[in-house]
Amino acid sequence: MDDLDKAILIMFDESGAIDDDLKKQAKVFCNDIKEKPSICRLCIEKLCFSNLVQVQFWCLQTLHEVIRTRYLTMTPDERHMIRGSVFSIVCLEDKNLTRVLEGPAFIKNKLAQVLITLIYFEYPLVWSSVFVDFFPHLSKGNVVIDMFCRVLNALDDELISLDYPRTPEELTVAGRVKDAMRQQCVSQIVRAWYDIVSMYRNSDQELCTSVLDSMRRYISWIDIGLIVNDAFIPLLFDLILVGPLSDQLRGAAVRCLLAVVSKRMEPQSKLSLLQSLQISRVLRLVTEDGDAELVSDTAALLAGYALEALDCFKRMNSEDAKGISMELLSEVLPSIFYVMKNFEVDATFNIIQFLSGYVAILKSFAPLREKQLLHLGQILEVILVLIRYDPAYRTNLDVMDKIGKEEEDRMVEFRKDLFVLLRTVGRVAPDVTQLFIRKSLASAVSRSSDSNVEEVEGALSLLHALGESISEEATRTWSGLLSELAVILLSTKFPCHSNRLVALVYLETVTRYVKFIQDNTQYIPMVLAAFLDERGIHHSNINVSRRASYLFMRVVKLLKMKLVPFIETILQSLQDTVAQFTIMNYTAEVLSGSEDGSHIFEAIGLLIGTEDVLPEKQSDYLSSLLSPLCQQVKALLINAKLLNCEETKSKIAVIQQIIMAINSLSKGFSERLVTASRPAIGLMFKQTLDVLLQVLVIFPKVEPLRNKVTSFIHRMVDTLGASVFPFLPKALEQLLEEIEPKQMVGFLLLLNQLICKFNTLVRDILEEIFPAVVERIFSVIPRNGLPSGPDAITEEIRELQELQRTLYTFLHVITTHDLSPVFLSPKCKAYLDPVMQLLLYSSCNHKDILVRKACVQIFIRLIKDWCAQPYEEKVPGFRSFVIGAFATNCCLYSVLDRSFEFHDANTFVLFGEIVLAQKVMYEKFGDDFLVHFVSKGFLLHIALQIWQSNIVKNCRVVISRH
């Protein structure tokens, strides 16, 4: 063992006993050896004499790498040496080389890869006989035959197969290799395949399996007549059907038949091929108690066969040909259905795609024949079987642990195509589909135990998915089976409703079919019972309960007017739920996304917030909800600052829940109702707002509470309208106190809402708070922009970027709502220059083109506001600032910058705004603007030597026509 052998062993050691530094030294040593001119000869010698697998692999890996990267610089003698040596090893020309061919599979695969690298460069121009030279050596037995298969497989993997991305050069070489093989040796290779399989089928079935798997790869691009003939096709069927052969060999023969079936050709030729195969001979394989992989391979063959027959039907115009295609389909469909219902097969996705295509062509048949209706029924049976969960995961799915979550996610994705297929069947044969679902539901409820959870869930899921495909005409009439299905759904109490999946799909399905209730109000009690009893909001599983709250809110939105007579019943049923929402134990539960349980208050608000409810009743209902909640907030705020950390956390959590509840409740009340028709309701919300603003006084720095109170203020602005004004100064003052920069985003959004809703009415409020807002923002945002680049973007920078964008929106909203005088007020005037400088810099340099556009629009509006009359200067210095700075830097230099890409849609829109700004400046400033603008352009284009006066005249004409 020399030093190289030792270094290779150290480098490949996986025992953990060798130091990492020593491994690195060994790697460096080996890499240095690779750079030697004689490396190829060294590798060949070691392959001939070393018995160490690690050394053999390193030598083959090095040969592959060197040939691939240095072949063009090698001498002819070196290439000849490598070629002869590698081929000698592959073909066992020297019996002393058997150590490589008798080694592990990965050594032989790497050796094949080395030979293919030579073929890449040399076949057919330099080494034209490589494949022909192989044939005499096949008689040496299974060792060389196995190597022959590995070479063909490697050729497919490394060069020919389009399953991997290829460069244009690789595609060219692949085409050259395939053309040469077709002319020179493909027929001999096929003959060798036939002879080997015929000879070794009984003595070495593993070898025959390898040969067939190699052959399968080549069928797609060789002459199909070499395989589809009186010799090879009978041999394949013989392997599949006759004699006690291994399932692996039979499966390989089945895969070859699939390759034959999938071969691209003209539809008439394909139809003749499909007929000639007499595929019915293999149908019995799916019913035999055989190997699961063989059944899976057979299913793939049948699916491929059916898909090709379907394609023939689509592509051929002859009625006779179409009839033959349908006969072929009818022949294999029963076996496909049987496999899908009884086995898990790899071809499931392909079969579903085929079935979708088959159902789609049935749309052209009117009316459907009996056999086609039977097929559709069987397709529905397949769908029902496939969408069912595995009972082994029942507990995991019910408690939603990690395993259950993964299984549910997998099934949600897996079911998508199946539900698409179901809806397609539902459109082609609605009666068949609805009858099948009715039978499925009846079968699911016929057993009164919890053992059929998956069957019940599957049947309900079918009904739920069907709801998407029901036409508007059907939902208007709800005739026949559809109406019957809706009644069955509402009137049935399934035996396994305690299961989470069953409860959820049941509620989702009731929600989807709730339109049925709009015209059939006699079923409203059933709907309410489904949501209000233990099947829904009172379900023992909190995830079901909260989802039920959300779905009930959606139902209330749709049936609102029809539910008014049931308000008392609903409120009574929800008393415990409403009370539970704000208790300590409930708030400790883990919240899941947006379904936090507050939707039940939104549902109540929608119910009692309608004008169909009597005013006295409405006031009583609302008071009975708001008063306890407000009293609870007041009680929680008493001495809150004296509590320890844990007590404070629990109180904050309860206050959050209360604010969420009140916020959701208020969504059911319109501005007109609370301010005009029933002001007493508005008074209650004002009192509530006054109470909740105290939260900001006691907990000014608790971000979740600030966010919840801010959200409620947003809601009150929409609900109370202008009557919210007396509360705004106090609210905004509290929100601004000790505010963090990232919290400023929410504050600015609130100001934007106020401005958009009330316009100039908020001028006084804005003048009061504008200085504090700008002061806080400018203290954290640099005037010359934020850092950019992947390395510079931290979480803090992202927050500042969001704040900066929101600031531009805020300034844009101010200027576009006639509030630019705010900038000039005595309290705000000191911030005018910093704001203008920020807008100028951003209009020229900001990375976000949309921000630059907003800044240009702000300047346009300010020019119109502050320079209303030509040559008037309402704001001293503004005119010269616009002409000297904005016009030059933004409207000229920034446009000439290389980063200004006109082919970008947003940039082109920005350019349009800049042109508009130039037009507005010309209208307001006249020749003063043009002379200055053109003079700056002159400095850039002085070589043009055109009279300035002529340019002014021409620019005046262009801008006046824009």
Side-chain angles (χ1 to χ4, degrees):
M1 185 185 298
D2 59 19
D3 290 342
L4 179 58
D5 292 347
K6 293 176 182 176
I8 293 171
L9 291 175
I10 291 171
M11 190 169 59
F12 284 114
D13 181 79
E14 296 180 351
S15 67
I18 295 178
D19 182 68
D20 286 343
D21 290 337
L22 185 58
K23 278 193 170 187
K24 289 177 183 177
Q25 292 175 23
K27 186 175 182 180
V28 170
F29 179 81
C30 291
N31 288 339
D32 290 341
I33 296 290
K34 283 183 183 179
E35 299 304 318
K36 290 186 176 182
S38 60
I39 183 62
C40 290
R41 188 173 296 278
L42 175 63
C43 289
I44 296 295
E45 289 174 358
K46 285 199 169 290
L47 281 172
C48 293
F49 299 106
S50 178
N51 291 317
L52 297 172
V53 172
Q54 296 93 328
V55 174
Q56 292 174 3
F57 181 79
W58 184 86
C59 291
L60 289 169
Q61 188 179 48
T62 301
L63 274 175
H64 175 251
E65 182 182 326
V66 171
I67 296 170
R68 188 167 50 84
T69 57
R70 302 185 209 168
Y71 178 84
L72 297 178
T73 61
M74 291 179 181
T75 65
D77 289 343
E78 188 175 9
R79 294 176 188 174
H80 183 269
M81 184 273 297
I82 296 171
R83 182 190 314 136
S85 300
V86 170
F87 194 73
S88 293
I89 299 173
V90 168
C91 290
L92 204 60
E93 290 184 340
D94 184 348
K95 291 188 177 179
N96 292 323
L97 302 177
T98 55
R99 60 173 58 85
V100 176
L101 297 192
E102 290 176 352
F106 68 88
I107 294 291
K108 291 182 278 190
N109 290 338
K110 181 57 74 172
L111 176 60
Q113 193 179 34
V114 172
L115 182 60
I116 295 308
T117 309
L118 287 170
I119 290 173
Y120 181 95
F121 288 107
E122 298 190 341
Y123 182 79
L125 300 179
V126 177
W127 191 10
S128 61
S129 62
V130 56
F131 294 106
V132 174
D133 291 344
F134 230 120
F135 298 133
H137 297 283
L138 296 177
S139 60
K140 294 177 181 178
N142 53 10
V143 174
V144 177
I145 294 171
D146 175 72
M147 202 61 225
F148 181 58
C149 293
R150 292 180 192 276
V151 169
L152 291 178
N153 291 348
L155 178 64
D156 184 61
D157 288 334
E158 299 292 319
L159 189 59
I160 295 175
S161 174
L162 295 179
D163 292 339
Y164 311 98
R166 306 291 187 193
T167 65
E169 180 187 351
E170 288 172 336
L171 292 173
T172 301
V173 173
R176 185 187 72 214
V177 169
K178 288 195 293 185
D179 289 343
M181 289 180 70
R182 287 189 189 103
Q183 293 179 7
Q184 183 195 47
C185 59
V186 161
S187 60
Q188 294 169 272
I189 292 174
V190 173
R191 184 68 198 182
W193 287 334
Y194 180 85
D195 290 341
I196 293 166
V197 173
S198 299
M199 182 182 300
Y200 288 91
R201 57 185 291 182
N202 294 316
S203 59
D204 195 338
Q205 295 182 18
E206 185 177 348
L207 180 67
C208 294
T209 301
S210 299
V211 170
L212 292 179
D213 279 335
S214 292
M215 184 179 94
R216 170 187 55 81
R217 295 166 175 252
Y218 286 76
I219 290 174
S220 64
W221 60 269
I222 65 175
D223 179 6
I224 194 63
L226 295 172
I227 305 296
V228 180
N229 50 49
D230 293 338
F232 229 126
I233 292 297
L235 173 62
L236 291 175
F237 275 103
D238 199 37
L239 293 172
I240 296 169
L241 302 172
V242 180
L245 301 178
S246 70
D247 287 333
Q248 288 71 30
L249 178 55
R250 298 170 75 193
V254 169
R255 292 191 291 274
C256 287
L257 280 180
L258 175 59
V260 169
V261 164
S262 304
K263 173 85 170 176
R264 295 179 63 181
M265 59 183 70
E266 291 299 314
Q268 185 59 58
S269 300
K270 175 59 68 71
L271 191 60
S272 300
L273 170 64
L274 297 179
Q275 283 182 283
S276 69
L277 289 179
Q278 300 175 21
I279 204 69
S280 59
R281 290 179 282 176
V282 303
L283 298 182
R284 65 179 175 83
L285 292 181
V286 300
T287 57
E288 289 180 351
D289 187 18
D291 179 68
E293 286 190 17
L294 178 60
V295 173
S296 186
D297 288 330
T298 307
L301 169 61
L302 297 179
Y305 183 93
L307 193 61
E308 295 299 328
L310 182 66
D311 187 60
C312 290
F313 179 89
K314 292 177 182 176
R315 293 170 62 192
M316 301 185 73
N317 298 321
S318 163
E319 289 301 319
D320 289 342
K322 285 182 177 292
I324 294 171
S325 300
M326 291 303 292
E327 287 176 10
L328 296 178
L329 280 173
S330 297
E331 187 177 23
V332 297
L333 274 172
S335 295
I336 290 176
F337 295 143
Y338 179 84
V339 170
M340 294 295 282
K341 286 188 284 187
N342 292 279
F343 299 94
E344 289 186 16
V345 294
D346 295 335
T348 296
F349 176 79
N350 292 335
I351 293 174
I352 293 170
Q353 298 305 307
F354 155 69
L355 292 176
S356 297
Y358 175 68
V359 175
I361 68 166
L362 294 185
K363 294 176 184 177
S364 60
F365 289 80
L368 292 173
R369 298 166 191 157
E370 184 178 347
K371 183 176 287 188
Q372 292 162 347
L373 290 171
L374 178 63
H375 288 164
L376 291 175
Q378 291 176 309
I379 290 173
L380 292 170
E381 290 177 12
V382 167
I383 294 172
L384 180 57
V385 168
L386 292 180
I387 66 170
R388 286 179 186 162
Y389 281 92
D390 186 340
Y393 294 104
R394 185 181 300 173
T395 302
N396 304 101
L397 288 161
D398 204 33
V399 300
M400 272 302 278
D401 58 15
K402 182 182 178 183
I403 295 173
K405 183 72 171 68
E406 289 175 355
E407 177 64 9
E408 185 169 15
D409 291 343
R410 185 192 69 80
M411 282 295 285
V412 167
E413 190 63 31
F414 176 70
R415 284 175 161 191
K416 286 179 180 177
D417 290 325
L418 290 166
F419 286 148
V420 171
L421 176 58
L422 169 72
R423 289 189 283 270
T424 306
V425 175
R427 283 187 285 268
V428 173
D431 290 343
V432 171
T433 307
Q434 291 165 25
L435 182 61
F436 176 81
I437 293 175
R438 188 183 71 176
K439 289 179 179 177
S440 301
L441 287 170
S443 172
V445 300
S446 63
R447 285 172 280 177
S448 58
S449 68
D450 286 346
S451 62
N452 60 333
V453 167
E454 292 73 29
E455 185 180 354
V456 172
E457 196 277 339
L460 286 171
S461 295
L462 288 183
L463 182 57
H464 178 263
L466 178 69
E468 283 190 37
S469 65
I470 298 173
S471 64
E472 288 202 16
E473 175 62 31
T475 56
R476 279 196 295 269
T477 59
W478 290 98
S479 58
L481 283 171
L482 200 56
S483 173
E484 188 179 336
L485 284 172
V487 173
I488 291 172
L489 175 69
L490 295 172
S491 60
T492 303
K493 281 199 173 184
F494 294 96
C496 42
H497 244 303
S498 59
N499 180 270
R500 184 185 67 87
L501 284 178
V502 171
L504 286 174
V505 72
Y506 177 77
L507 294 171
E508 296 280 0
T509 308
V510 170
T511 304
R512 175 157 286 177
Y513 285 84
V514 78
K515 288 183 180 178
F516 171 73
I517 310 302
Q518 289 179 308
D519 300 318
N520 298 272
T521 53
Q522 69 270 27
Y523 296 108
I524 286 179
M526 290 184 179
V527 173
L528 293 178
F531 282 99
L532 299 177
D533 64 20
E534 69 282 353
R535 291 173 291 174
I537 293 168
H538 288 91
H539 198 281
S540 57
N541 186 306
I542 192 168
N543 293 308
V544 174
S545 175
R546 286 177 177 169
R547 184 64 179 170
S549 297
Y550 167 72
L551 295 174
F552 182 62
M553 179 270 296
R554 285 176 48 189
V555 169
V556 169
K557 273 187 178 180
L558 196 63
L559 301 178
K560 187 162 53 174
M561 302 304 178
K562 293 180 172 59
L563 294 179
V564 171
F566 301 90
I567 288 178
E568 296 277 359
T569 303
I570 294 170
L571 292 179
Q572 190 172 359
S573 296
L574 294 175
Q575 271 184 346
D576 58 337
T577 305
V578 169
Q580 186 186 36
F581 187 75
T582 55
I583 63 174
M584 301 290 183
N585 291 338
Y586 188 84
T587 57
E589 293 280 358
V590 178
L591 303 183
S592 58
S594 61
E595 291 176 13
D596 49 30
S598 63
H599 290 106
I600 201 63
F601 289 89
E602 185 175 350
I604 292 171
L606 291 167
L607 278 172
I608 67 175
T610 174
E611 293 193 18
D612 291 336
V613 179
L614 294 173
E616 299 79 10
K617 284 282 189 184
Q618 193 171 56
S619 295
D620 290 343
Y621 293 147
L622 186 59
S623 177
S624 67
L625 290 161
L626 287 181
S627 295
L629 293 173
C630 289
Q631 290 301 320
Q632 196 175 356
V633 171
K634 289 177 183 178
L636 289 166
L637 293 178
I638 295 173
N639 299 324
K641 292 186 177 181
L642 302 177
L643 301 174
N644 61 41
C645 182
E646 285 302 316
E647 291 174 326
T648 301
K649 281 184 179 179
S650 62
K651 286 201 172 190
I652 288 171
V654 174
I655 293 172
Q656 275 186 255
Q657 293 288 98
I658 293 172
I659 299 173
M660 287 162 53
I662 296 172
N663 201 3
S664 298
L665 186 66
S666 66
K667 293 179 183 179
F669 295 84
S670 67
E671 181 180 346
R672 192 182 67 81
L673 184 139
V674 303
T675 58
S677 62
R678 298 179 185 179
I681 301 295
L683 180 61
M684 288 190 214
F685 280 116
K686 291 175 191 175
Q687 292 168 344
T688 303
L689 177 59
D690 196 39
V691 171
L692 295 186
L693 289 177
Q694 292 302 309
V695 174
L696 295 177
V697 178
I698 304 300
F699 298 109
K701 292 187 176 182
V702 180
E703 187 174 355
L705 285 180
R706 290 178 61 90
N707 294 339
K708 293 292 186 294
V709 174
T710 302
S711 176
F712 185 64
I713 296 171
H714 276 290
R715 173 58 52 192
M716 289 300 97
V717 169
D718 284 336
T719 304
L720 297 175
S723 63
V724 80
F725 265 66
F727 299 91
L728 290 179
K730 177 183 175 182
L732 296 175
E733 179 187 350
Q734 291 297 330
L735 287 172
L736 264 178
E737 189 174 330
E738 302 183 53
I739 193 169
E740 296 291 331
K742 63 181 180 180
Q743 296 168 342
M744 284 297 300
V745 172
F747 186 76
L748 290 178
L749 293 176
L750 177 59
L751 293 179
N752 288 345
Q753 182 197 19
L754 292 171
I755 295 169
C756 292
K757 186 169 182 68
F758 300 117
N759 295 304
T760 55
L761 293 176
V762 296
R763 176 173 170 177
D764 292 341
I765 294 174
L766 204 54
E767 287 179 1
E768 286 294 325
I769 64 170
F770 186 79
V773 171
V774 175
E775 189 72 43
R776 299 279 173 84
I777 295 176
F778 278 9
S779 68
V780 294
I781 293 183
R783 311 291 174 85
N784 56 350
L786 293 165
S788 59
D791 297 332
I793 304 300
T794 62
E795 188 61 34
E796 182 182 359
I797 294 298
R798 287 193 188 92
E799 290 176 359
L800 292 177
Q801 287 175 337
E802 184 182 6
L803 176 57
Q804 189 186 57
R805 283 192 294 268
T806 311
L807 172 63
Y808 293 126
T809 305
F810 173 58
L811 297 173
H812 189 273
V813 170
I814 289 176
T815 54
T816 54
H817 287 79
D818 301 318
L819 286 168
S820 59
V822 169
F823 297 131
L824 308 178
S825 66
K827 292 182 179 180
C828 306
K829 208 166 187 178
Y831 298 96
L832 178 60
D833 183 62
V835 169
M836 292 301 107
Q837 293 297 336
L838 176 66
L839 290 172
L840 174 63
Y841 178 85
S842 300
S843 67
C844 301
N845 304 299
H846 203 284
K847 300 295 183 185
D848 189 336
I849 295 297
L850 297 179
V851 167
R852 291 171 68 174
K853 183 186 79 168
C855 292
V856 173
Q857 291 173 333
I858 291 171
F859 274 115
I860 293 171
R861 189 58 187 255
L862 292 178
I863 294 168
K864 291 179 179 179
D865 288 351
W866 293 347
C867 307
Q869 300 298 325
Y871 308 103
E872 175 192 25
E873 188 160 38
K874 185 175 180 181
V875 181
F878 180 70
R879 186 169 180 271
S880 59
F881 170 77
V882 170
I883 294 175
F886 173 69
T888 304
N889 294 306
C890 177
C891 300
L892 181 60
Y893 294 158
S894 74
V895 176
L896 296 175
D897 191 271
R898 289 182 178 180
S899 64
F900 203 90
E901 301 178 2
F902 281 94
H903 65 271
D904 176 70
N906 288 331
T907 305
F908 194 74
V909 173
L910 168 62
F911 180 68
E913 294 294 337
I914 290 173
V915 172
L916 178 60
Q918 293 173 355
K919 180 180 179 183
V920 171
M921 286 187 285
Y922 174 65
E923 291 172 351
K924 302 300 180 184
F925 309 140
D927 288 351
D928 288 353
F929 156 67
L930 283 181
V931 170
H932 182 83
F933 189 71
V934 173
S935 68
K936 293 296 181 181
F938 245 44
L939 294 175
L940 293 171
H941 304 284
I942 197 167
L944 296 177
Q945 298 295 309
I946 302 174
W947 288 102
Q948 187 171 348
S949 58
N950 289 338
I951 293 181
V952 170
K953 191 181 298 181
N954 291 337
C955 286
R956 188 182 297 123
V957 171
V958 170
I959 292 177
S960 64
R961 290 176 179 175
H962 189 274

